Amino acid sequence: MKKLFLIAGFSIASMAIYANVNTEMTTNNVFIEVDDKGKVEIKPEELPKNTLAALGEVKIEKAFRLSDAEGNVSGYEVVVNDGQSSKTILFDKSGNALK
């Protein structure tokens, strides 16, 4: 009888751990669809202030303003280098980082 309770306890614990791990691994991805026509290279100084603040002290290699078909600003694309590698970060039209 003790073995039955022990096995049931381990089963319930493993199901709880498995359920917890799966919920923690859930992520949301945001995609901005941009064609090259709506992508214009700009000077890093032309980025919104909160974008520059969010980037901190990393080296900005290139910055782009993204526009929709009507020519309205839809976001920003920034290529940064942290000293080891380059990566691209997307920002919305207000300059807030997208996840």
Side-chain angles (χ1 to χ4, degrees):
M1 190 70 155
K2 290 181 185 177
K3 290 182 182 178
L4 179 64
F5 286 120
L6 188 61
I7 292 171
F10 282 128
S11 298
I12 292 171
S14 65
M15 284 188 282
I17 291 171
Y18 177 74
N20 190 23
V21 168
N22 283 342
T23 57
E24 290 177 9
M25 293 176 64
T26 303
T27 59
N28 293 330
N29 294 323
V30 177
F31 295 99
I32 296 179
E33 194 172 318
V34 178
D35 59 3
D36 287 336
K37 295 176 188 172
K39 185 175 179 179
V40 177
E41 187 168 359
I42 60 173
K43 296 177 184 176
E45 301 83 36
E46 295 178 38
L47 290 167
K49 290 180 184 177
N50 52 341
T51 300
L52 293 171
L55 291 171
E57 297 297 319
V58 296
K59 180 185 175 196
I60 299 173
E61 292 182 351
K62 291 187 177 190
F64 300 94
R65 182 177 52 243
L66 309 176
S67 302
D68 59 15
E70 290 81 34
N72 301 319
V73 175
S74 61
Y76 298 91
E77 180 180 322
V78 182
V79 180
V80 297
N81 188 323
D82 61 4
Q84 297 177 354
S85 63
S86 295
K87 57 184 169 180
T88 301
I89 304 172
L90 294 175
F91 295 87
D92 65 12
K93 63 182 176 183
S94 301
N96 302 312
L98 298 173
K99 297 180 182 178

